[in-house]
Amino acid sequence: MAVEVTWWGHATVTVTDSGVRLLTDPLFTRRLAHLRRRRGELPPPGAARADAVLVSHLHADHLHPASLARLGPGTRVVVPCGAVAAVPGLRRVAAARGLRVTELRPGETVTVRAAHPDADGYGYGSGEVTVRAVHAAHDGRRLPYGPHRVPALGYVVHGAATTYFAGDTGLFDTMAEEVGAVDVALLPVGGWGPFLGHGHLDARRAAEAAARLAPVSAVPVHYGTYWPIGLDAVRPHEFHSPGDEFARQAGLLAPRVAVHRLAHGESVRLAAAR
């Protein structure tokens, strides 16, 4: 199998390709400000093991310094250009844990190699992948900073398979052109509240993204995990149904795309077709 995908909840995913283990937008907390984790156990300690972490943008549910503090010393953390200057908590955690922070702009790439096993057995192989940053149509600012200070990104991982992690994004005209041909698309299909604002994909828009990108497989993420405290009864379908609704809509708009709806902590192994 070319790639293994494990969904830990929200936008936190482990992608293993060519022996390289990548972790997206780690969020390892039961509560974040007014949000609480309503479904799924917290990821186990092993979920924080990665050769590199891909952070899509600066929102607190995607760039969470306390979760980054669980990473092993020396882990590479890939962030949008300007993130280090914009987020003091990132600077502090990177210094304390010896994290290697790499800032990217859309179109730029970084090579990630698998760690060698150590005395604890940590290590995932001897291969490497290339990670390419792409545009995301999302206001990724971290208040009180302005909307254009640091861009929101998606990432395309080129290894034995080609995997697109969209981060948070709305549809944009050049999505298929910028992302390119992919085997696996990790697409946000919901959010953490009763209403989605501009710059997000709901289930139908995510299905439209799948139709444009035409991946072999799609995995819905960014739904059914966190919800505002006290709002359990407000539009609960927006919490419970996006995964199933994405699968239904993708069946109509992108019938050749295989949708893999994962439970929290569940993995799927997918073959590359290109």
Side-chain angles (χ1 to χ4, degrees):
M1 293 297 180
V3 63
E4 181 176 84
V5 173
T6 304
W7 184 49
W8 301 111
H10 202 53
T12 306
V13 180
T14 295
V15 176
T16 306
D17 186 327
S18 303
V20 180
R21 185 172 168 119
L22 303 172
L23 178 65
T24 68
D25 290 350
L27 187 58
F28 302 140
T29 184
R30 293 192 182 280
R31 181 169 175 178
L32 176 64
H34 64 298
L35 305 178
R36 66 181 175 91
R37 190 175 180 116
R38 285 192 57 200
R39 179 183 290 163
E41 295 297 322
L42 284 178
R49 291 183 171 182
D51 295 305
V53 170
L54 310 180
V55 175
S56 62
H57 62 288
L58 304 191
H59 287 169
D61 57 323
H62 294 259
L63 173 52
H64 187 242
S67 294
L68 296 178
R70 291 180 50 179
L71 301 174
T75 301
R76 182 186 297 276
V77 179
V78 182
V79 298
C81 186
V84 173
V87 184
L90 173 60
R91 297 198 299 273
R92 290 193 293 269
V93 169
R97 299 294 294 167
L99 305 179
R100 297 179 296 150
V101 180
T102 299
E103 296 189 327
L104 294 183
R105 296 180 176 88
E108 294 182 333
T109 65
V110 62
T111 298
V112 180
R113 295 178 175 85
H116 296 292
D118 59 19
D120 297 322
Y122 173 66
Y124 306 99
S126 58
E128 66 179 40
V129 299
T130 299
V131 176
R132 175 169 56 92
V134 296
H135 169 74
H138 187 69
D139 179 358
R141 61 180 168 173
R142 196 175 185 95
L143 296 175
Y145 300 100
H148 304 299
R149 181 175 179 127
V150 181
L153 298 177
Y155 295 99
V156 181
V157 179
H158 300 274
T162 302
T163 301
Y164 171 47
F165 168 59
D168 256 358
T169 187
L171 290 169
F172 54 97
D173 290 342
T174 60
M175 175 180 278
E177 176 185 350
E178 291 191 38
V179 172
V182 295
D183 297 298
V184 180
L186 310 177
L187 297 175
V189 302
W192 50 252
F195 300 95
L196 281 176
H198 178 72
H200 293 85
L201 297 178
D202 61 10
R204 181 171 180 81
R205 291 192 293 269
E208 172 62 28
R212 297 184 187 187
L213 296 167
V216 178
S217 303
V219 178
V221 300
H222 203 276
Y223 76 100
T225 309
Y226 291 90
W227 201 251
I229 294 170
L231 294 185
D232 290 14
V234 180
R235 293 171 59 84
H237 64 282
E238 296 293 351
F239 179 84
H240 294 287
S241 68
D244 289 336
E245 181 63 11
F246 169 71
R248 188 182 75 83
Q249 294 283 353
L252 298 174
L253 300 178
R256 295 187 178 182
V257 177
V259 175
H260 300 270
R261 185 185 177 282
L262 302 180
H264 292 81
E266 187 178 5
S267 301
V268 62
R269 294 181 179 180
L270 303 169
R274 296 181 171 87

